Amino acid sequence: ASYLPANNKVTFNSDITTKATGYYVDQNVYEAIWDDDNCITTLYNAETQRRKFTVTLNQHIGSDKGFTITEGKNITGFRANTNIDEVYTMVRGKGFNGIMGNWQISNNTNLYRVNKSKTIEYKVRVREEGQDEQEGYTYFDTEAQAIKELDRLAKLEFTTNQIDTIKTNYTINFAMLKGSKEYDKYGASEQYYLGDTVSVYIPRLGVDIKNRIVSVTYNHLTQSIEEVELRN
């Protein structure tokens, strides 16, 4: 769908087909789309792309260009930040008085050469006769029930907290890269846009991490991109 207002200044496009209702009173267009608790981007879970006078609100912006960069190169202008030391693929829960849950194994174990394990304490305990319940704890009648809860909480560390997934953030400074032998490879990203997907290869782990371009610094005087930030 597209909409062109009477002044012929701005065009809106979207590939979202779901319907929702929102009310915007005494608000400008910017507030209605981006800056309200019930704004359009929140209401439709939309991603936004703005290019001059064209605004696109899609389910997903950008595309995968099939481009790969390698972490660990000693290149000026390339900064990397990952949480590799905080990634765990084997987790078990520990409750009050030494109750231990069963080891839960992540589906991502095959992604890493080395898998780390972690025991996480939760406020889970078994009721004891004549003892008052303490605030903040979850109580169960039997140890088997408590262990089942510990296993459930441990699984949530993967599905909700994603402690089995590498979080990455990369910054490529093209202004500093120019003149280096690596520039031709990284310079290809000057054809890339917000939302595009780039693979980052991490040799020490032997894995490719998909990252999206979340920020672009563009120099209008030189008509070139100066810096790109990638994040997953």
Side-chain angles (χ1 to χ4, degrees):
S2 65
Y3 167 68
L4 189 64
N7 59 15
N8 292 330
K9 286 287 186 181
V10 182
T11 301
F12 291 93
N13 298 287
S14 178
D15 65 0
I16 298 173
T17 58
T18 56
K19 294 182 179 181
T21 302
Y23 298 93
Y24 308 99
V25 180
D26 295 329
Q27 292 181 324
N28 58 39
V29 174
Y30 179 88
E31 291 171 333
I33 296 176
W34 292 286
D35 197 26
D36 181 85
D37 291 339
N38 196 40
C39 64
I40 293 174
T41 51
T42 299
L43 201 61
Y44 288 96
N45 194 28
E47 295 187 356
T48 308
Q49 184 178 74
R50 289 176 288 173
R51 292 182 183 167
K52 295 185 178 180
F53 296 107
T54 299
V55 178
T56 300
L57 295 95
N58 282 353
Q59 299 176 60
H60 183 97
I61 63 170
S63 60
D64 190 339
K65 305 295 187 181
F67 183 58
T68 301
I69 61 178
T70 303
E71 182 192 282
K73 294 280 188 177
N74 184 21
I75 303 171
T76 300
F78 180 81
R79 301 193 302 275
N81 182 31
T82 64
N83 71 330
I84 293 174
D85 294 335
E86 300 172 3
V87 174
Y88 299 91
T89 54
M90 295 180 290
V91 173
R92 68 174 175 179
K94 179 180 179 181
F96 180 79
N97 205 22
I99 299 175
M100 287 291 186
N102 301 294
W103 284 106
Q104 305 302 312
I105 310 299
S106 164
N107 292 328
N108 290 347
T109 53
N110 62 325
L111 296 180
Y112 311 117
R113 293 176 180 173
V114 177
N115 286 278
K116 296 170 60 179
S117 61
K118 183 177 185 180
T119 298
I120 301 177
E121 292 192 28
Y122 301 103
K123 290 190 173 182
V124 172
R125 61 185 299 178
V126 178
R127 289 187 179 90
E128 297 179 18
E129 188 176 351
Q131 188 176 60
D132 294 333
E133 295 188 0
Q134 296 183 22
E135 185 177 354
Y137 280 88
T138 302
Y139 286 81
F140 294 89
D141 294 328
T142 67
E143 184 173 309
Q145 292 174 340
I147 291 175
K148 185 177 180 180
E149 175 65 5
L150 290 173
D151 291 348
R152 186 188 72 84
L153 293 172
K155 290 177 181 178
L156 289 178
E157 297 294 343
F158 301 138
T159 59
T160 301
N161 296 333
Q162 298 183 331
I163 67 171
D164 58 343
T165 303
I166 296 177
K167 305 298 189 302
T168 61
N169 183 275
Y170 300 93
T171 301
I172 302 173
N173 189 312
F174 290 102
M176 296 175 67
L177 280 176
K178 286 183 178 179
S180 71
K181 64 180 181 179
E182 295 288 341
Y183 179 72
D184 288 340
K185 181 172 69 172
Y186 289 100
S189 287
E190 292 193 283
Q191 307 300 319
Y192 286 40
Y193 301 98
L194 282 173
D196 283 351
T197 298
V198 177
S199 293
V200 178
Y201 177 64
I202 306 178
R204 53 184 159 156
L205 297 178
V207 296
D208 287 301
I209 304 296
K210 293 287 188 179
N211 291 261
R212 297 183 69 192
I213 297 178
V214 297
S215 175
V216 176
T217 302
Y218 187 80
N219 188 325
H220 285 276
L221 296 178
T222 61
Q223 295 290 295
S224 63
I225 289 177
E226 291 189 346
E227 189 170 271
V228 170
E229 182 179 0
L230 311 172
R231 190 186 308 151
N232 72 340

